[in-house]
Amino acid sequence: DAKTTQPTSMDCAEGRAANLPCNHSTISGNEYVYWYRQIHSQGPQYIIHGLKNNETNEMASLIITEDRKSSTLILPHATLRDTAVYYCIVSRNSGGSNYKLTFGKGTLLTVNP
Amino acid sequence: ETGVTQSPTHLIKTRGQQVTLRCSSQSGHNTVSWYQQALGQGPQFIFQYYREEENGRGNFPPRFSGLQFPNYSSELNVNALELDDSALYLCASSLGAPGQGAPEAFFGQGTRLTVV
């Protein structure tokens, strides 16, 4: 699986948009970009994923560049409960149900009041 | 609440002992993956089970083994425990199917294992 690079930490003011970047310059054509987050002492939580088009759901938006070498997760109105470690993961489904999520160290997002 | 439950939540074992961790996957999910998360690190993939068969394995020694049952619940067994096995063990369930894009994984709260 392609490797990802994320900033170690970021701060955001409550109510503002949080934009979390991720570089994945070695991504291959059949690999998806996933975002998960982990709030302290809990299991990771799925946020969103995409292949090449931008995606939006009730939690966030995912913007993938045209060359697919980087992406940005956008939390439109961050709240204190969004404070967590955010993981950007590149993974593929190699057939059947065979896939794994390769987590790095992620970005610690701190939302400040 | 993801519908994935793990037991026990905390466990203390002595070096050299064996341990079994359990995971009940979300209803209808046929795929279970196990991850190990050391303090300050991201989760590391141990292995995955799909319809009771091992379907991929990470860089873990054979003393880490698993099972998936017909109801898709799962066990992780670790033999000859070492101090470095102290970690949070996470189970994730998903609904996989051939040819589909990788599905969303639902994680449990984890089992905190301490080896002394």
Side-chain angles (χ1 to χ4, degrees):
Chain A
D1 296 330
K3 192 173 176 181
T4 61
T5 304
Q6 299 177 252
T8 303
S9 63
M10 294 183 65
D11 285 320
C12 177
E14 190 178 17
R16 304 298 293 268
N19 296 285
L20 292 92
C22 179
N23 285 321
H24 32 79
S25 58
T26 60
I27 192 170
S28 59
N30 62 351
E31 288 182 312
Y32 290 74
V33 179
Y34 293 82
W35 284 84
Y36 282 76
R37 73 180 183 183
Q38 188 171 25
I39 295 168
H40 184 61
S41 298
Q42 297 184 19
Q45 176 191 23
Y46 167 84
I47 301 172
I48 199 167
H49 78 279
L51 184 61
K52 52 177 91 169
N53 298 322
N54 298 337
E55 303 286 345
T56 295
N57 63 21
E58 65 279 1
M59 286 184 69
S61 295
L62 173 61
I63 309 297
I64 303 174
T65 57
E66 195 168 337
D67 63 8
R68 304 211 319 127
K69 292 185 177 182
S70 65
S71 60
T72 301
L73 178 75
I74 301 172
L75 307 179
H77 305 287
T79 70
L80 298 180
R81 288 178 296 178
D82 292 322
T83 293
V85 178
Y86 286 77
Y87 297 100
C88 169
I89 299 163
V90 170
S91 183
R92 63 188 178 94
N93 184 340
S94 57
S97 184
N98 187 355
Y99 70 96
K100 65 177 182 179
L101 300 172
T102 302
F103 290 82
K105 292 194 174 181
T107 297
L108 173 60
L109 174 69
T110 303
V111 180
N112 301 303
Chain B
E1 279 292 325
T2 63
V4 179
T5 56
Q6 294 187 242
S7 61
T9 54
H10 295 82
L11 198 54
I12 299 175
K13 287 286 192 178
T14 303
R15 190 171 50 181
Q17 284 188 313
Q18 178 265 343
V19 70
T20 297
L21 310 181
R22 294 180 175 82
C23 173
S24 176
S25 56
Q26 186 163 336
S27 177
H29 283 186
N30 55 17
T31 302
V32 173
S33 303
W34 286 91
Y35 292 80
Q36 179 196 67
Q37 186 172 25
L39 208 57
Q41 305 294 318
Q44 300 299 305
F45 176 75
I46 302 175
F47 44 55
Q48 181 183 88
Y49 280 83
Y50 172 62
R51 293 187 172 178
E52 303 178 57
E53 297 284 332
E54 189 179 292
N55 191 39
R57 189 177 182 94
N59 189 25
F60 281 81
R63 59 189 185 84
F64 285 78
S65 63
L67 279 174
Q68 187 180 29
F69 300 101
N71 66 356
Y72 300 135
S73 65
S74 178
E75 285 182 356
L76 164 66
N77 298 291
V78 187
N79 293 323
L81 283 166
E82 301 176 1
L83 297 179
D84 284 349
D85 296 332
S86 295
L88 181 68
Y89 288 85
L90 294 159
C91 163
S93 80
S94 55
L95 180 59
Q100 244 188 24
E104 171 185 349
F106 293 83
F107 283 81
Q109 298 284 69
T111 294
R112 173 74 61 189
L113 172 66
T114 303
V115 182
V116 297

